[in-house]
Amino acid sequence: MGAGPSGLLLAQLLALRGIESVIVEARSREYVEARIRAGVIEHGAVQTLIDAGVGGRLVREGLRHDGIYLQWPGERRRIDFPDLCGQSVYVYGQTEVTKDLINARLADGQEIYWNASDAEVLDLETDQPLIRFVDEQGHLRELRCGLVAGCDGFHGICRPAIPDSLRTDFERVFPFAWLGVLAQVAPSTDELIYAWHPNGFALHSLRSEKISRLYLQVAADESVDAWSDDRIWEELATRFQLDGWSLETGSLLDKSITPMRSFVSAPMRLGRMFLAGDAAHIVPPTGAKGLNLAIADVRRLAEAMTQFLQKDSGELLDAYSDTALQRVWQSTHFSWWMTSMLHAPAPEEPDSAFVRQLQLTQLRNVTSSRAGATWVAENYTGAAYG
Ligand code: RFL
Ligand code: PHB
């Protein structure tokens, strides 16, 4: 269920092992391909995409990044990934990963049902679960399956199909959001800048040599309409201000608000249905982990499903939820840690002056201690996850 990165990559990995799958997706192909989200891909996830036969354009057009900058007023310090942990990351938009996966699947003559409505997953605790939905032409379809993968994102139907009594949800909703913009302007930086500022966090990312991706911490209930292009550029310039450096501006191609939430649902299984990616967990984007976690889940799930279907052993499927959740909690911790260090609390919060001093101290600590910087590098690149 779902043609996001999780569902598409899982289907591709299964196809390479000779296992047939059908993807059922609620939205249109155009919508799925245009949805702007993540941009940073870990070393290990890049390798998974290469192994899946969809890494060609990523390696050609993606940008390898060997570090990030952590900034606070008056300071911009670099974390050098290869020096600290021997790995790097790639900057390549999730839109492009999605297009590459869709093209590979369609070139292989494999099915995706777009614009499916009223989907249900049934009989999950039997040997032959059932997916029922209405296809684009309005016909009711029923698919009897060997296994079901719930890759239908945070708002999908698969996680809620696990009864509340069998599921534990862990959640933190952060009291702020990100306003994200895509700008037609060459990036003003060679590597991502994560900036702490009394007005709030800002992130300078990029998509290509001509397109920049920028984010501002805003109030949780903020409306995009409150942010004219001029106001956005002014606020970005304020938060990234550094002597001898300037922010280039350009036209804005897209503006959106992303709420910030940590969420983990356990277990990631009911009978013959397995959850992967955002269907089971959400991290705030500060650690750039959401897409990478989705890729890690499905790599593990593809192996487990293959063992079950081809070797008649359920050992890896039985272990899937517990092993996937270990990695999920590591990324949940890192994303929470980065988020807590970088997002200035609102001045009206009673201990905000205290928290700000701790945040600045933490930033100085992790950039001045090799041990601290190594921990950041290992988590950011995914080297910590083996
Ligand atoms: P997705 O990408 O949400 O895909 C799920 C797919 O399932 C479909 N679907 C259904 N299909 C059939 N029947 C139903 N009933 C269905 N309900 C839903 C949906 O239409 C969709 O196509 O989950 P997946 O594949 O697990 O991939 C996860 C990643 O997309 C996600 O972790 C990241 O994009 C998270 N994320 C970000 N991660 C980062 O690392 N950096 C970022 O900057 C970043 N920005 C974001 C994000 C997620 C966002 N969301 C979910 C709102 C920005 C946003 C706005
Ligand atoms: C992005 O390029 O969209 C991006 C990069 C790093 C993050 C979050 C988003 O931590």
Side-chain angles (χ1 to χ4, degrees), residues 40-46 81 85-90 287-289 292-293 296 299-300 327 330-331 334 374-386:
V40 173
I41 308 186
E42 291 169 2
H43 184 97
V46 169
F81 299 150
C85 71
Q87 297 200 357
S88 303
V89 295
Y90 270 76
K289 289 289 161 226
N292 292 300
L293 263 187
R299 188 178 56 185
R300 198 165 266 134
R327 162 75 188 257
Q330 274 183 298
S331 292
F334 180 65
T374 302
W375 187 81
V376 173
E378 285 176 347
N379 277 277
Y380 195 91
T381 59
Y385 314 131

PDB file of all heavy atoms in Angstrom, residues 40-46 81 85-90 287-289 292-293 296 299-300 327 330-331 334 374-386:
ATOM      1  N   VAL A  40      18.391  14.898   1.802  1.00  0.00           N
ATOM      2  CA  VAL A  40      19.702  14.351   2.179  1.00  0.00           C
ATOM      3  C   VAL A  40      19.614  12.825   2.264  1.00  0.00           C
ATOM      4  O   VAL A  40      18.754  12.289   2.955  1.00  0.00           O
ATOM      5  CB  VAL A  40      20.165  14.921   3.546  1.00  0.00           C
ATOM      6  CG1 VAL A  40      21.436  14.233   4.023  1.00  0.00           C
ATOM      7  CG2 VAL A  40      20.384  16.425   3.448  1.00  0.00           C
ATOM      8  N   ILE A  41      20.509  12.137   1.576  1.00  0.00           N
ATOM      9  CA  ILE A  41      20.495  10.675   1.566  1.00  0.00           C
ATOM     10  C   ILE A  41      21.799  10.154   2.152  1.00  0.00           C
ATOM     11  O   ILE A  41      22.889  10.525   1.710  1.00  0.00           O
ATOM     12  CB  ILE A  41      20.285  10.146   0.133  1.00  0.00           C
ATOM     13  CG1 ILE A  41      19.045  10.830  -0.466  1.00  0.00           C
ATOM     14  CG2 ILE A  41      20.116   8.634   0.131  1.00  0.00           C
ATOM     15  CD1 ILE A  41      18.631  10.303  -1.797  1.00  0.00           C
ATOM     16  N   GLU A  42      21.655   9.301   3.162  1.00  0.00           N
ATOM     17  CA  GLU A  42      22.837   8.746   3.838  1.00  0.00           C
ATOM     18  C   GLU A  42      23.630   7.848   2.902  1.00  0.00           C
ATOM     19  O   GLU A  42      23.067   7.224   1.999  1.00  0.00           O
ATOM     20  CB  GLU A  42      22.405   7.863   5.026  1.00  0.00           C
ATOM     21  CG  GLU A  42      21.791   8.576   6.184  1.00  0.00           C
ATOM     22  CD  GLU A  42      21.159   7.577   7.176  1.00  0.00           C
ATOM     23  OE1 GLU A  42      21.242   6.356   6.948  1.00  0.00           O
ATOM     24  OE2 GLU A  42      20.570   8.045   8.150  1.00  0.00           O
ATOM     25  N   HIS A  43      24.885   7.700   3.234  1.00  0.00           N
ATOM     26  CA  HIS A  43      25.811   6.813   2.552  1.00  0.00           C
ATOM     27  C   HIS A  43      25.196   5.412   2.314  1.00  0.00           C
ATOM     28  O   HIS A  43      25.146   4.906   1.198  1.00  0.00           O
ATOM     29  CB  HIS A  43      27.043   6.706   3.459  1.00  0.00           C
ATOM     30  CG  HIS A  43      28.172   5.927   2.919  1.00  0.00           C
ATOM     31  ND1 HIS A  43      29.242   6.511   2.295  1.00  0.00           N
ATOM     32  CD2 HIS A  43      28.411   4.589   2.919  1.00  0.00           C
ATOM     33  CE1 HIS A  43      30.096   5.568   1.941  1.00  0.00           C
ATOM     34  NE2 HIS A  43      29.613   4.395   2.309  1.00  0.00           N
ATOM     35  N   GLY A  44      24.699   4.790   3.378  1.00  0.00           N
ATOM     36  CA  GLY A  44      24.157   3.420   3.281  1.00  0.00           C
ATOM     37  C   GLY A  44      22.895   3.373   2.419  1.00  0.00           C
ATOM     38  O   GLY A  44      22.661   2.398   1.700  1.00  0.00           O
ATOM     39  N   ALA A  45      22.090   4.436   2.501  1.00  0.00           N
ATOM     40  CA  ALA A  45      20.860   4.474   1.707  1.00  0.00           C
ATOM     41  C   ALA A  45      21.188   4.649   0.229  1.00  0.00           C
ATOM     42  O   ALA A  45      20.516   4.091  -0.648  1.00  0.00           O
ATOM     43  CB  ALA A  45      19.963   5.609   2.211  1.00  0.00           C
ATOM     44  N   VAL A  46      22.244   5.420  -0.059  1.00  0.00           N
ATOM     45  CA  VAL A  46      22.696   5.574  -1.452  1.00  0.00           C
ATOM     46  C   VAL A  46      23.074   4.194  -1.995  1.00  0.00           C
ATOM     47  O   VAL A  46      22.692   3.809  -3.098  1.00  0.00           O
ATOM     48  CB  VAL A  46      23.909   6.536  -1.541  1.00  0.00           C
ATOM     49  CG1 VAL A  46      24.559   6.492  -2.919  1.00  0.00           C
ATOM     50  CG2 VAL A  46      23.486   7.961  -1.203  1.00  0.00           C
ATOM     51  N   PHE A  81      32.687  15.182   7.728  1.00  0.00           N
ATOM     52  CA  PHE A  81      32.257  13.779   7.834  1.00  0.00           C
ATOM     53  C   PHE A  81      33.362  12.759   7.532  1.00  0.00           C
ATOM     54  O   PHE A  81      33.603  11.857   8.339  1.00  0.00           O
ATOM     55  CB  PHE A  81      31.044  13.493   6.935  1.00  0.00           C
ATOM     56  CG  PHE A  81      29.813  14.298   7.264  1.00  0.00           C
ATOM     57  CD1 PHE A  81      28.911  14.635   6.254  1.00  0.00           C
ATOM     58  CD2 PHE A  81      29.535  14.696   8.568  1.00  0.00           C
ATOM     59  CE1 PHE A  81      27.762  15.363   6.543  1.00  0.00           C
ATOM     60  CE2 PHE A  81      28.389  15.422   8.859  1.00  0.00           C
ATOM     61  CZ  PHE A  81      27.505  15.757   7.837  1.00  0.00           C
ATOM     62  N   CYS A  85      34.285  10.221  10.397  1.00  0.00           N
ATOM     63  CA  CYS A  85      33.673   8.870  10.417  1.00  0.00           C
ATOM     64  C   CYS A  85      33.807   8.122   9.100  1.00  0.00           C
ATOM     65  O   CYS A  85      33.254   7.030   8.959  1.00  0.00           O
ATOM     66  CB  CYS A  85      32.213   8.953  10.827  1.00  0.00           C
ATOM     67  SG  CYS A  85      31.157   9.677   9.576  1.00  0.00           S
ATOM     68  N   GLY A  86      34.500   8.732   8.126  1.00  0.00           N
ATOM     69  CA  GLY A  86      34.780   8.001   6.885  1.00  0.00           C
ATOM     70  C   GLY A  86      33.606   7.881   5.929  1.00  0.00           C
ATOM     71  O   GLY A  86      33.684   7.124   4.964  1.00  0.00           O
ATOM     72  N   GLN A  87      32.508   8.595   6.177  1.00  0.00           N
ATOM     73  CA  GLN A  87      31.370   8.521   5.247  1.00  0.00           C
ATOM     74  C   GLN A  87      30.918   9.918   4.823  1.00  0.00           C
ATOM     75  O   GLN A  87      31.332  10.912   5.417  1.00  0.00           O
ATOM     76  CB  GLN A  87      30.203   7.772   5.908  1.00  0.00           C
ATOM     77  CG  GLN A  87      30.565   6.327   6.241  1.00  0.00           C
ATOM     78  CD  GLN A  87      29.351   5.432   6.443  1.00  0.00           C
ATOM     79  OE1 GLN A  87      28.201   5.863   6.391  1.00  0.00           O
ATOM     80  NE2 GLN A  87      29.612   4.149   6.689  1.00  0.00           N
ATOM     81  N   SER A  88      30.067   9.961   3.791  1.00  0.00           N
ATOM     82  CA  SER A  88      29.526  11.233   3.307  1.00  0.00           C
ATOM     83  C   SER A  88      28.021  11.066   3.113  1.00  0.00           C
ATOM     84  O   SER A  88      27.498   9.984   3.319  1.00  0.00           O
ATOM     85  CB  SER A  88      30.139  11.588   1.945  1.00  0.00           C
ATOM     86  OG  SER A  88      31.534  11.640   2.038  1.00  0.00           O
ATOM     87  N   VAL A  89      27.344  12.123   2.706  1.00  0.00           N
ATOM     88  CA  VAL A  89      25.928  12.003   2.324  1.00  0.00           C
ATOM     89  C   VAL A  89      25.766  12.547   0.907  1.00  0.00           C
ATOM     90  O   VAL A  89      26.661  13.229   0.381  1.00  0.00           O
ATOM     91  CB  VAL A  89      25.000  12.789   3.283  1.00  0.00           C
ATOM     92  CG1 VAL A  89      25.041  12.193   4.687  1.00  0.00           C
ATOM     93  CG2 VAL A  89      25.343  14.281   3.324  1.00  0.00           C
ATOM     94  N   TYR A  90      24.639  12.263   0.287  1.00  0.00           N
ATOM     95  CA  TYR A  90      24.309  12.846  -1.014  1.00  0.00           C
ATOM     96  C   TYR A  90      23.113  13.767  -0.876  1.00  0.00           C
ATOM     97  O   TYR A  90      22.181  13.458  -0.122  1.00  0.00           O
ATOM     98  CB  TYR A  90      23.969  11.745  -2.030  1.00  0.00           C
ATOM     99  CG  TYR A  90      25.178  11.261  -2.788  1.00  0.00           C
ATOM    100  CD1 TYR A  90      26.103  10.421  -2.189  1.00  0.00           C
ATOM    101  CD2 TYR A  90      25.402  11.668  -4.107  1.00  0.00           C
ATOM    102  CE1 TYR A  90      27.222   9.989  -2.874  1.00  0.00           C
ATOM    103  CE2 TYR A  90      26.520  11.235  -4.803  1.00  0.00           C
ATOM    104  CZ  TYR A  90      27.423  10.399  -4.185  1.00  0.00           C
ATOM    105  OH  TYR A  90      28.531   9.976  -4.868  1.00  0.00           O
ATOM    106  N   GLY A 287      17.134  16.200  11.557  1.00  0.00           N
ATOM    107  CA  GLY A 287      18.264  15.276  11.391  1.00  0.00           C
ATOM    108  C   GLY A 287      18.348  14.686   9.997  1.00  0.00           C
ATOM    109  O   GLY A 287      19.228  13.867   9.724  1.00  0.00           O
ATOM    110  N   ALA A 288      17.412  15.077   9.096  1.00  0.00           N
ATOM    111  CA  ALA A 288      17.363  14.545   7.714  1.00  0.00           C
ATOM    112  C   ALA A 288      17.245  13.016   7.713  1.00  0.00           C
ATOM    113  O   ALA A 288      17.926  12.332   6.960  1.00  0.00           O
ATOM    114  CB  ALA A 288      18.580  15.007   6.912  1.00  0.00           C
ATOM    115  N   LYS A 289      16.396  12.481   8.562  1.00  0.00           N
ATOM    116  CA  LYS A 289      16.344  11.020   8.741  1.00  0.00           C
ATOM    117  C   LYS A 289      15.126  10.337   8.134  1.00  0.00           C
ATOM    118  O   LYS A 289      15.142   9.109   7.942  1.00  0.00           O
ATOM    119  CB  LYS A 289      16.385  10.685  10.241  1.00  0.00           C
ATOM    120  CG  LYS A 289      17.716  10.934  10.880  1.00  0.00           C
ATOM    121  CD  LYS A 289      18.736   9.911  10.413  1.00  0.00           C
ATOM    122  CE  LYS A 289      20.144  10.380  10.644  1.00  0.00           C
ATOM    123  NZ  LYS A 289      21.042  10.209   9.542  1.00  0.00           N
ATOM    124  N   ASN A 292      15.629   8.350   4.949  1.00  0.00           N
ATOM    125  CA  ASN A 292      16.671   7.339   5.190  1.00  0.00           C
ATOM    126  C   ASN A 292      16.146   6.173   6.026  1.00  0.00           C
ATOM    127  O   ASN A 292      16.488   5.020   5.778  1.00  0.00           O
ATOM    128  CB  ASN A 292      17.871   8.000   5.876  1.00  0.00           C
ATOM    129  CG  ASN A 292      18.566   8.961   4.936  1.00  0.00           C
ATOM    130  OD1 ASN A 292      19.041   8.543   3.886  1.00  0.00           O
ATOM    131  ND2 ASN A 292      18.580  10.236   5.266  1.00  0.00           N
ATOM    132  N   LEU A 293      15.296   6.494   6.994  1.00  0.00           N
ATOM    133  CA  LEU A 293      14.690   5.430   7.805  1.00  0.00           C
ATOM    134  C   LEU A 293      13.775   4.564   6.953  1.00  0.00           C
ATOM    135  O   LEU A 293      13.742   3.341   7.095  1.00  0.00           O
ATOM    136  CB  LEU A 293      13.839   6.052   8.908  1.00  0.00           C
ATOM    137  CG  LEU A 293      14.441   6.205  10.273  1.00  0.00           C
ATOM    138  CD1 LEU A 293      13.357   6.677  11.246  1.00  0.00           C
ATOM    139  CD2 LEU A 293      15.028   4.893  10.768  1.00  0.00           C
ATOM    140  N   ALA A 296      15.894   2.228   5.056  1.00  0.00           N
ATOM    141  CA  ALA A 296      16.455   1.175   5.922  1.00  0.00           C
ATOM    142  C   ALA A 296      15.393   0.123   6.254  1.00  0.00           C
ATOM    143  O   ALA A 296      15.669  -1.077   6.244  1.00  0.00           O
ATOM    144  CB  ALA A 296      17.005   1.806   7.199  1.00  0.00           C
ATOM    145  N   ARG A 299      14.723  -2.130   3.103  1.00  0.00           N
ATOM    146  CA  ARG A 299      15.833  -3.024   2.776  1.00  0.00           C
ATOM    147  C   ARG A 299      15.729  -4.293   3.642  1.00  0.00           C
ATOM    148  O   ARG A 299      15.842  -5.415   3.167  1.00  0.00           O
ATOM    149  CB  ARG A 299      17.174  -2.323   3.021  1.00  0.00           C
ATOM    150  CG  ARG A 299      18.341  -3.156   2.512  1.00  0.00           C
ATOM    151  CD  ARG A 299      19.637  -2.463   2.708  1.00  0.00           C
ATOM    152  NE  ARG A 299      19.836  -2.114   4.106  1.00  0.00           N
ATOM    153  CZ  ARG A 299      20.864  -1.411   4.551  1.00  0.00           C
ATOM    154  NH1 ARG A 299      21.769  -0.962   3.706  1.00  0.00           N
ATOM    155  NH2 ARG A 299      21.005  -1.143   5.822  1.00  0.00           N
ATOM    156  N   ARG A 300      15.448  -4.066   4.923  1.00  0.00           N
ATOM    157  CA  ARG A 300      15.299  -5.179   5.863  1.00  0.00           C
ATOM    158  C   ARG A 300      14.053  -6.017   5.525  1.00  0.00           C
ATOM    159  O   ARG A 300      14.078  -7.240   5.556  1.00  0.00           O
ATOM    160  CB  ARG A 300      15.149  -4.558   7.254  1.00  0.00           C
ATOM    161  CG  ARG A 300      15.387  -5.463   8.371  1.00  0.00           C
ATOM    162  CD  ARG A 300      15.564  -4.675   9.663  1.00  0.00           C
ATOM    163  NE  ARG A 300      16.941  -4.384   9.963  1.00  0.00           N
ATOM    164  CZ  ARG A 300      17.426  -3.208  10.350  1.00  0.00           C
ATOM    165  NH1 ARG A 300      16.629  -2.190  10.480  1.00  0.00           N
ATOM    166  NH2 ARG A 300      18.680  -3.050  10.606  1.00  0.00           N
ATOM    167  N   ARG A 327      16.751   0.712  15.045  1.00  0.00           N
ATOM    168  CA  ARG A 327      17.243   1.777  14.177  1.00  0.00           C
ATOM    169  C   ARG A 327      16.318   3.001  14.226  1.00  0.00           C
ATOM    170  O   ARG A 327      16.760   4.148  14.234  1.00  0.00           O
ATOM    171  CB  ARG A 327      17.349   1.197  12.752  1.00  0.00           C
ATOM    172  CG  ARG A 327      17.422   2.178  11.628  1.00  0.00           C
ATOM    173  CD  ARG A 327      18.795   2.801  11.581  1.00  0.00           C
ATOM    174  NE  ARG A 327      18.833   3.877  10.626  1.00  0.00           N
ATOM    175  CZ  ARG A 327      19.382   3.771   9.433  1.00  0.00           C
ATOM    176  NH1 ARG A 327      19.946   2.674   9.045  1.00  0.00           N
ATOM    177  NH2 ARG A 327      19.393   4.805   8.619  1.00  0.00           N
ATOM    178  N   GLN A 330      17.084   4.972  17.252  1.00  0.00           N
ATOM    179  CA  GLN A 330      18.350   5.721  17.133  1.00  0.00           C
ATOM    180  C   GLN A 330      18.126   7.014  16.348  1.00  0.00           C
ATOM    181  O   GLN A 330      18.577   8.084  16.738  1.00  0.00           O
ATOM    182  CB  GLN A 330      19.390   4.879  16.382  1.00  0.00           C
ATOM    183  CG  GLN A 330      20.173   3.931  17.260  1.00  0.00           C
ATOM    184  CD  GLN A 330      21.229   3.192  16.438  1.00  0.00           C
ATOM    185  OE1 GLN A 330      20.896   2.463  15.510  1.00  0.00           O
ATOM    186  NE2 GLN A 330      22.481   3.390  16.764  1.00  0.00           N
ATOM    187  N   SER A 331      17.414   6.911  15.237  1.00  0.00           N
ATOM    188  CA  SER A 331      17.158   8.106  14.422  1.00  0.00           C
ATOM    189  C   SER A 331      16.179   9.045  15.116  1.00  0.00           C
ATOM    190  O   SER A 331      16.264  10.263  14.955  1.00  0.00           O
ATOM    191  CB  SER A 331      16.601   7.707  13.052  1.00  0.00           C
ATOM    192  OG  SER A 331      17.597   7.055  12.323  1.00  0.00           O
ATOM    193  N   PHE A 334      18.362  10.972  17.543  1.00  0.00           N
ATOM    194  CA  PHE A 334      19.217  11.979  16.910  1.00  0.00           C
ATOM    195  C   PHE A 334      18.380  13.169  16.403  1.00  0.00           C
ATOM    196  O   PHE A 334      18.766  14.330  16.581  1.00  0.00           O
ATOM    197  CB  PHE A 334      20.007  11.348  15.751  1.00  0.00           C
ATOM    198  CG  PHE A 334      20.913  12.325  15.059  1.00  0.00           C
ATOM    199  CD1 PHE A 334      21.989  12.890  15.720  1.00  0.00           C
ATOM    200  CD2 PHE A 334      20.675  12.703  13.738  1.00  0.00           C
ATOM    201  CE1 PHE A 334      22.828  13.808  15.088  1.00  0.00           C
ATOM    202  CE2 PHE A 334      21.509  13.614  13.096  1.00  0.00           C
ATOM    203  CZ  PHE A 334      22.584  14.163  13.774  1.00  0.00           C
ATOM    204  N   THR A 374      32.297  13.808  16.257  1.00  0.00           N
ATOM    205  CA  THR A 374      32.246  12.465  15.660  1.00  0.00           C
ATOM    206  C   THR A 374      30.859  11.861  15.856  1.00  0.00           C
ATOM    207  O   THR A 374      30.303  11.240  14.948  1.00  0.00           O
ATOM    208  CB  THR A 374      33.319  11.550  16.314  1.00  0.00           C
ATOM    209  OG1 THR A 374      34.594  12.155  16.118  1.00  0.00           O
ATOM    210  CG2 THR A 374      33.320  10.163  15.699  1.00  0.00           C
ATOM    211  N   TRP A 375      30.289  12.082  17.017  1.00  0.00           N
ATOM    212  CA  TRP A 375      28.941  11.556  17.291  1.00  0.00           C
ATOM    213  C   TRP A 375      27.931  12.153  16.300  1.00  0.00           C
ATOM    214  O   TRP A 375      27.082  11.442  15.752  1.00  0.00           O
ATOM    215  CB  TRP A 375      28.557  11.858  18.739  1.00  0.00           C
ATOM    216  CG  TRP A 375      27.271  11.209  19.128  1.00  0.00           C
ATOM    217  CD1 TRP A 375      27.095   9.913  19.512  1.00  0.00           C
ATOM    218  CD2 TRP A 375      25.973  11.815  19.120  1.00  0.00           C
ATOM    219  NE1 TRP A 375      25.766   9.673  19.747  1.00  0.00           N
ATOM    220  CE2 TRP A 375      25.051  10.821  19.514  1.00  0.00           C
ATOM    221  CE3 TRP A 375      25.486  13.090  18.818  1.00  0.00           C
ATOM    222  CZ2 TRP A 375      23.685  11.059  19.617  1.00  0.00           C
ATOM    223  CZ3 TRP A 375      24.121  13.323  18.922  1.00  0.00           C
ATOM    224  CH2 TRP A 375      23.235  12.332  19.324  1.00  0.00           C
ATOM    225  N   VAL A 376      28.055  13.460  16.055  1.00  0.00           N
ATOM    226  CA  VAL A 376      27.151  14.107  15.097  1.00  0.00           C
ATOM    227  C   VAL A 376      27.371  13.515  13.700  1.00  0.00           C
ATOM    228  O   VAL A 376      26.416  13.133  13.008  1.00  0.00           O
ATOM    229  CB  VAL A 376      27.359  15.644  15.070  1.00  0.00           C
ATOM    230  CG1 VAL A 376      26.535  16.277  13.966  1.00  0.00           C
ATOM    231  CG2 VAL A 376      27.003  16.255  16.423  1.00  0.00           C
ATOM    232  N   ALA A 377      28.646  13.410  13.297  1.00  0.00           N
ATOM    233  CA  ALA A 377      28.961  12.904  11.949  1.00  0.00           C
ATOM    234  C   ALA A 377      28.450  11.476  11.771  1.00  0.00           C
ATOM    235  O   ALA A 377      27.861  11.132  10.734  1.00  0.00           O
ATOM    236  CB  ALA A 377      30.472  12.966  11.714  1.00  0.00           C
ATOM    237  N   GLU A 378      28.662  10.639  12.773  1.00  0.00           N
ATOM    238  CA  GLU A 378      28.236   9.228  12.662  1.00  0.00           C
ATOM    239  C   GLU A 378      26.721   9.109  12.529  1.00  0.00           C
ATOM    240  O   GLU A 378      26.216   8.276  11.783  1.00  0.00           O
ATOM    241  CB  GLU A 378      28.682   8.443  13.909  1.00  0.00           C
ATOM    242  CG  GLU A 378      30.165   8.131  13.903  1.00  0.00           C
ATOM    243  CD  GLU A 378      30.631   7.448  15.187  1.00  0.00           C
ATOM    244  OE1 GLU A 378      29.871   7.428  16.174  1.00  0.00           O
ATOM    245  OE2 GLU A 378      31.762   6.950  15.189  1.00  0.00           O
ATOM    246  N   ASN A 379      26.015   9.939  13.265  1.00  0.00           N
ATOM    247  CA  ASN A 379      24.555   9.871  13.190  1.00  0.00           C
ATOM    248  C   ASN A 379      24.021  10.515  11.920  1.00  0.00           C
ATOM    249  O   ASN A 379      23.098  10.000  11.301  1.00  0.00           O
ATOM    250  CB  ASN A 379      23.929  10.534  14.426  1.00  0.00           C
ATOM    251  CG  ASN A 379      23.890   9.571  15.593  1.00  0.00           C
ATOM    252  OD1 ASN A 379      22.986   8.764  15.703  1.00  0.00           O
ATOM    253  ND2 ASN A 379      24.914   9.622  16.434  1.00  0.00           N
ATOM    254  N   TYR A 380      24.593  11.633  11.537  1.00  0.00           N
ATOM    255  CA  TYR A 380      24.080  12.345  10.361  1.00  0.00           C
ATOM    256  C   TYR A 380      24.286  11.527   9.082  1.00  0.00           C
ATOM    257  O   TYR A 380      23.402  11.431   8.239  1.00  0.00           O
ATOM    258  CB  TYR A 380      24.764  13.715  10.240  1.00  0.00           C
ATOM    259  CG  TYR A 380      24.038  14.642   9.295  1.00  0.00           C
ATOM    260  CD1 TYR A 380      23.053  15.514   9.762  1.00  0.00           C
ATOM    261  CD2 TYR A 380      24.311  14.640   7.929  1.00  0.00           C
ATOM    262  CE1 TYR A 380      22.372  16.353   8.907  1.00  0.00           C
ATOM    263  CE2 TYR A 380      23.628  15.470   7.062  1.00  0.00           C
ATOM    264  CZ  TYR A 380      22.661  16.330   7.555  1.00  0.00           C
ATOM    265  OH  TYR A 380      21.976  17.147   6.697  1.00  0.00           O
ATOM    266  N   THR A 381      25.464  10.918   8.968  1.00  0.00           N
ATOM    267  CA  THR A 381      25.755  10.144   7.744  1.00  0.00           C
ATOM    268  C   THR A 381      25.165   8.743   7.806  1.00  0.00           C
ATOM    269  O   THR A 381      25.091   8.058   6.783  1.00  0.00           O
ATOM    270  CB  THR A 381      27.271   9.959   7.537  1.00  0.00           C
ATOM    271  OG1 THR A 381      27.794   9.260   8.694  1.00  0.00           O
ATOM    272  CG2 THR A 381      28.001  11.279   7.389  1.00  0.00           C
ATOM    273  N   GLY A 382      24.772   8.296   9.006  1.00  0.00           N
ATOM    274  CA  GLY A 382      24.267   6.929   9.151  1.00  0.00           C
ATOM    275  C   GLY A 382      25.366   5.939   9.483  1.00  0.00           C
ATOM    276  O   GLY A 382      25.095   4.750   9.651  1.00  0.00           O
ATOM    277  N   ALA A 383      26.617   6.410   9.624  1.00  0.00           N
ATOM    278  CA  ALA A 383      27.721   5.493   9.952  1.00  0.00           C
ATOM    279  C   ALA A 383      27.460   4.785  11.286  1.00  0.00           C
ATOM    280  O   ALA A 383      27.892   3.655  11.489  1.00  0.00           O
ATOM    281  CB  ALA A 383      29.048   6.256  10.011  1.00  0.00           C
ATOM    282  N   ALA A 384      26.719   5.458  12.176  1.00  0.00           N
ATOM    283  CA  ALA A 384      26.434   4.871  13.496  1.00  0.00           C
ATOM    284  C   ALA A 384      25.535   3.649  13.398  1.00  0.00           C
ATOM    285  O   ALA A 384      25.437   2.874  14.337  1.00  0.00           O
ATOM    286  CB  ALA A 384      25.750   5.919  14.388  1.00  0.00           C
ATOM    287  N   TYR A 385      24.850   3.503  12.262  1.00  0.00           N
ATOM    288  CA  TYR A 385      23.849   2.433  12.170  1.00  0.00           C
ATOM    289  C   TYR A 385      24.398   1.188  11.481  1.00  0.00           C
ATOM    290  O   TYR A 385      23.648   0.288  11.144  1.00  0.00           O
ATOM    291  CB  TYR A 385      22.593   2.938  11.446  1.00  0.00           C
ATOM    292  CG  TYR A 385      22.118   4.288  11.942  1.00  0.00           C
ATOM    293  CD1 TYR A 385      21.807   5.316  11.059  1.00  0.00           C
ATOM    294  CD2 TYR A 385      22.015   4.540  13.306  1.00  0.00           C
ATOM    295  CE1 TYR A 385      21.393   6.557  11.519  1.00  0.00           C
ATOM    296  CE2 TYR A 385      21.612   5.782  13.766  1.00  0.00           C
ATOM    297  CZ  TYR A 385      21.318   6.775  12.874  1.00  0.00           C
ATOM    298  OH  TYR A 385      20.920   8.006  13.321  1.00  0.00           O
ATOM    299  N   GLY A 386      25.682   1.169  11.235  1.00  0.00           N
ATOM    300  CA  GLY A 386      26.317  -0.037  10.684  1.00  0.00           C
ATOM    301  C   GLY A 386      26.053  -0.232   9.204  1.00  0.00           C
ATOM    302  O   GLY A 386      25.363   0.512   8.568  1.00  0.00           O
TER     303      GLY A 386
END
